[in-house]
Every structure is written in C-alpha cells, then in structure tokens.
Amino acid sequence: MRWPLENRLETRLDLPRRLRRARKAEWARKLMRENRLTVEDLIWPVFITEGTGVTDAIATMPGVNRYSVDQAVEQAREAASLGIPALALFPNTPSHLRDETGSEALNPDNLICRAIRAIKAAVPEIGIITDVALDPYTSHGHDGLVAEGRILNDETVAMLVRQALIQADAGADVIAPSDMMDGRVAAIREALDAAGFADVSIMAYAAKYASAFYGPFRDAVGSSGTLKGDKKTYQMDPANAAEALREVELDLAEGADYVMVKPGMPYLDIITRVKEHFGVPTFAYQVSGEYAMIMAAAERGMLDGEKAMLETLLAFKRAGCDGILTYFAPRAARLLASRD
C-alpha cells in the first residue's frame, strides 16, 4: 500500500543528491556500472597428467580435473569456443620422474612440452602460459634447488633459464616464473632474446605470498606429500605490502611484460596498489584454496555459488586487474555468454 501523499511530504528529507536514483532500475544500474567482467578477462589454469584419454578428478577441487595431453587439447578447443583467450598449464609429474634437482623440468619432451605442442597444433589461436619453477619436478617439493636445508637462489635461476628456453622452444607464448628467486626475470629475458625468442612474453609472479590457500593446488600437481618444510624464505610474508611494490619494481626493471599478484582475494589491496603505482598490465591468480572455499560453501548451501563466483571475479576487475587466472574460467564464460 502506498503512503498518502500528505504523509510523504511531511517526512521528506531535504537532500540535494540521492544516489539511490542511479540504482532504481536495471537499465540505470547498467549505465552507472564502473567495471564489467567479460570472458576476455579470464585465463584458465589446466592441470596435465600422463596417459591417454584421462580425465582425473581432483578431490580437493570439486569440478576441476587433471587431463592427459589428448584431453587437454579438447579442453583447449572448448576454451577457444567460449572465447577464453589463454590457458595456463601445470604438470602433475609422475613420482618416478621427480628428483632432488628437478631434472625432468629440462626434458624437452616432458609432459608440459608435449602438451604445449599438441595444443598449439590443434588450437593455434589460444595463448599458452607456462609455469617456470621446479616444485612440480622436485622430490622435496620446493621451487628451487636445496642444499643443507637452504634454497639456492643463483643456482636455481640457472635451471629456470634452461626450463624457460625449453618451454619457449615447444611453443609457449608466455613464460611465467612463479619461483620467487631474485634475478630470475632478467636472466630469463636475456636468454630468451639471445635464443631468438624476443616475442615470448614474461608474466612474473611478482608478488607471490607464502599463503595457506595453495593446498589444493599442491594436491593437483602432486607436491603436497613431498614438500619438506615451508616456502617462507622465498615467498612473501602475508603481513607485507610495501615489499610487494619493491618486488614488482624489480621485475619490471628486469623485463617483465606483465605482473601477477598471488593469491587473489586476500590481496586485493596489493593488486590496487600495484596497478595505481605502476599502471602496467596486472593479473591476479584466484588460487585453488579460494576456489575450493567457494565451492565447499556452495555445496553446503551456505551461499549461491554462481553469484559468489561472479562477484569475486568482478572484485578483481574493480581492484585493477587486467586479467584473472581462475579455475572458474569455463563456468564463468558460459554464464557470461548466457547473459549477453
């Protein structure tokens, strides 16, 4: 029932501006919308495993699978059909190929290199981003070489350079060093240019925090059971923000084309500071723990999973992201297409 006009006049506030007027209808909200999420903002991380015809569910990441190379090609075709611009590939290296030095990372016919070549042959238009770090290949689960319990920086960088060259030669479009060793971006850039890969980009995991949100990812790549100790001597302290700007500044000076903040949602403030300070292409990784958290709450009926998914992805855009690595990519792409 509507209030009588005289009552409404008696209670009317004298407000020169009413912001609710811009929210009164869907058409008005669309006109006033400051940020928009599109499928072009999404990068799909895909896990690769050995075998043929394999689609292997990851228990701690509902709805996410490991794919054999042939099945990864089919996922790449689907991604291209959905308009997803790029995939980020991660291997689940068999345990018998893992050793103290991560030597399988330097095998030009390893799982990732085979996947790159197969996907590029079948779906040449899709971008391929590859992880450069040793943790999927080492028996101790660390991103670098270890001696007497200490992560060796410079020796690790020499390995990463060789790993990057092998991936570039296989056809990777973007090399993404996630190891957090000092100086690795400059060394990789110099090596790529010298080897004729000047057009291969570098997406630096510039501000990668020592986070509790990585657990399901380590299950996916098979390193959760192998990791000895923690990664706090090379990944960033979650308490630090100014340090992230120093890390980004160094990576840009060393030749990074894009920078990434990881994890995503707990570090939206870092994303904003990076974007505002440097104004460079800035990405975030909505990591496995973030994904699993939303999925678990949705499965228990605690929230609307689709709405939470889209809200978090939009939050990355609002914070300043140019792109988002997310396991929700195909699901979000389908949903966005249905709303067009």
Side-chain angles (χ1 to χ4, degrees), residues 179-196:
D179 57 285
M180 289 298 287
M181 299 297 120
D182 291 334
R184 89 277 203 211
V185 172
I188 291 171
R189 183 71 273 162
E190 181 180 2
L192 289 172
D193 290 352

Side-chain angles (χ1 to χ4, degrees), residues 149-293:
R150 185 170 63 91
I151 309 300
L152 303 177
N153 189 95
D154 296 10
E155 294 85 347
T156 296
V157 169
M159 287 275 292
L160 300 177
V161 167
R162 295 170 65 190
Q163 183 184 14
L165 289 172
I166 286 167
Q167 293 178 356
D169 190 58
D173 299 293
V174 181
I175 299 298
S178 65
D179 57 285
M180 289 298 287
M181 299 297 120
D182 291 334
R184 89 277 203 211
V185 172
I188 291 171
R189 183 71 273 162
E190 181 180 2
L192 289 172
D193 290 352
F197 297 117
D199 290 337
V200 174
S201 303
I202 295 178
M203 178 185 287
Y205 286 62
K208 182 179 179 180
Y209 285 84
S211 172
F213 285 90
Y214 300 148
F217 175 92
R218 291 172 183 164
D219 292 338
V221 299
S223 65
S224 59
T226 63
L227 181 61
K228 298 175 176 65
D230 57 48
K231 303 189 178 187
K232 293 180 180 179
T233 66
Y234 49 101
Q235 293 179 356
M236 285 183 55
D237 185 339
N240 294 352
E243 183 185 15
L245 300 184
R246 295 196 295 273
E247 289 281 4
V248 170
E249 184 176 29
L250 283 170
D251 284 354
L252 290 171
E254 291 179 11
D257 300 286
Y258 323 113
V259 295
M260 185 198 299
V261 176
K262 182 181 180 183
M265 286 191 295
Y267 298 91
L268 292 175
D269 62 315
I270 306 301
I271 296 166
T272 298
R273 290 180 69 166
V274 167
K275 187 65 175 182
E276 290 180 347
H277 192 84
F278 297 103
V280 298
T282 303
F283 293 76
Y285 198 144
Q286 186 178 43
V287 299
S288 58
E290 300 174 59
Y291 171 88
M293 185 169 59

Side-chain angles (χ1 to χ4, degrees), residues 2 41 56 80 82 91 93 98 100 103 124 134 141 148 165 214 220 229 244 256 276 282 284 292 303 313-314 332 334:
R2 299 186 65 186
D41 298 315
D56 182 22
L82 290 169
T93 305
R98 297 171 187 254
E100 286 290 312
S103 61
L134 299 183
E148 299 178 350
L165 289 172
Y214 300 148
E276 290 180 347
T282 303
L303 49 74
L313 295 175
L314 185 60
R334 292 187 201 99

Side-chain angles (χ1 to χ4, degrees), residues 73-128:
V73 169
E74 296 308 310
Q75 302 310 307
R77 288 195 174 102
E78 180 184 10
S81 71
L82 290 169
I84 296 171
L87 305 180
L89 304 182
F90 299 92
N92 179 18
T93 305
S95 58
H96 72 275
L97 294 177
R98 297 171 187 254
D99 58 27
E100 286 290 312
T101 63
S103 61
E104 180 65 8
L106 306 184
N107 176 3
D109 199 37
N110 64 23
L111 191 53
I112 279 298
C113 290
R114 282 183 275 130
I116 297 167
R117 288 192 291 266
I119 292 171
K120 275 298 182 183
V123 197
E125 69 272 22
I126 202 159
I128 298 294

Side-chain angles (χ1 to χ4, degrees), residues 268-338:
L268 292 175
D269 62 315
I270 306 301
I271 296 166
T272 298
R273 290 180 69 166
V274 167
K275 187 65 175 182
E276 290 180 347
H277 192 84
F278 297 103
V280 298
T282 303
F283 293 76
Y285 198 144
Q286 186 178 43
V287 299
S288 58
E290 300 174 59
Y291 171 88
M293 185 169 59
I294 293 170
M295 291 296 291
E299 287 178 354
R300 288 162 177 76
M302 297 176 180
L303 49 74
D304 185 312
E306 285 191 349
K307 289 180 179 178
M309 169 186 70
L310 292 178
E311 186 176 336
T312 58
L313 295 175
L314 185 60
F316 289 121
K317 291 290 292 180
R318 191 187 67 243
C321 280
D322 297 283
I324 309 144
L325 285 81
T326 176
Y327 303 100
F328 286 120
R331 183 177 171 187
R334 292 187 201 99
L335 192 58
L336 290 169
S338 72

